[in-house]
Amino acid sequence: MKAQALRNALEAMAGMPGLEGCALVEIEAGMVWHHAGHIEGVQTFAEAASDYWRLYNRLAHQFKDLGDLRASVMMHAHGRITLLPCGKGMLLVTLTRQKSDIDWTLWQEKTRELATLVDAL
């Protein structure tokens, strides 16, 4: 039941205006738990993008004076990948187009809801 609630919440997030897709990825393994969205290859993007986060984890000592990484955004020519921790050991990967009008405040609220669901599993 909790897993279904998590899937539903992720699908609701992916349905937000401006979002192309999103996924929950286990940080250590890079395994996608759930993904949703209308862009092809969401799961593949998410697996690959989680490598960015693991690279930071390997090099974190170089950035210790800046504090913990809270989010990461990669701007590509045609889209944006936003990475954010989402519950214990999980990463939220969100795909958007470069000039999409996103309600980032609502996105953060939905992210907190997802984190609560992840931690309840």
Side-chain angles (χ1 to χ4, degrees):
M1 190 67 160
K2 291 179 183 178
Q4 185 61 47
L6 183 64
R7 274 189 220 99
N8 293 345
L10 191 66
E11 288 175 13
M13 177 178 272
M16 288 178 58
L19 265 69
E20 297 289 319
C22 53
L24 282 170
V25 182
E26 188 177 325
I27 293 172
E28 288 293 318
M31 182 181 83
V32 175
W33 272 23
H34 302 293
H35 61 88
H38 60 272
I39 189 172
E40 283 193 43
V42 172
Q43 183 171 357
T44 304
F45 279 120
E47 288 172 356
S50 68
D51 281 342
Y52 285 128
W53 199 268
R54 283 189 297 284
L55 176 62
Y56 161 77
N57 283 338
R58 286 192 298 275
L59 300 173
H61 64 281
Q62 300 291 332
F63 305 104
K64 66 182 175 193
D65 291 342
L66 298 174
D68 292 336
L69 182 62
R70 294 173 28 195
S72 179
V73 178
M74 277 69 63
M75 306 288 281
H76 293 258
H78 302 292
R80 175 178 40 223
I81 301 170
T82 304
L83 306 174
L84 185 77
C86 188
K88 185 174 169 79
M90 297 297 288
L91 186 66
L92 175 65
V93 178
T94 303
L95 305 169
T96 55
R97 291 291 172 202
Q98 201 67 296
K99 296 184 182 195
S100 295
D101 188 24
I102 310 293
D103 182 344
W104 289 109
T105 301
L106 178 60
W107 178 83
Q108 287 176 323
E109 290 172 17
K110 290 186 175 290
T111 299
R112 285 189 291 274
E113 292 170 12
L114 280 172
T116 299
L117 291 169
V118 166
D119 289 341
L121 291 178

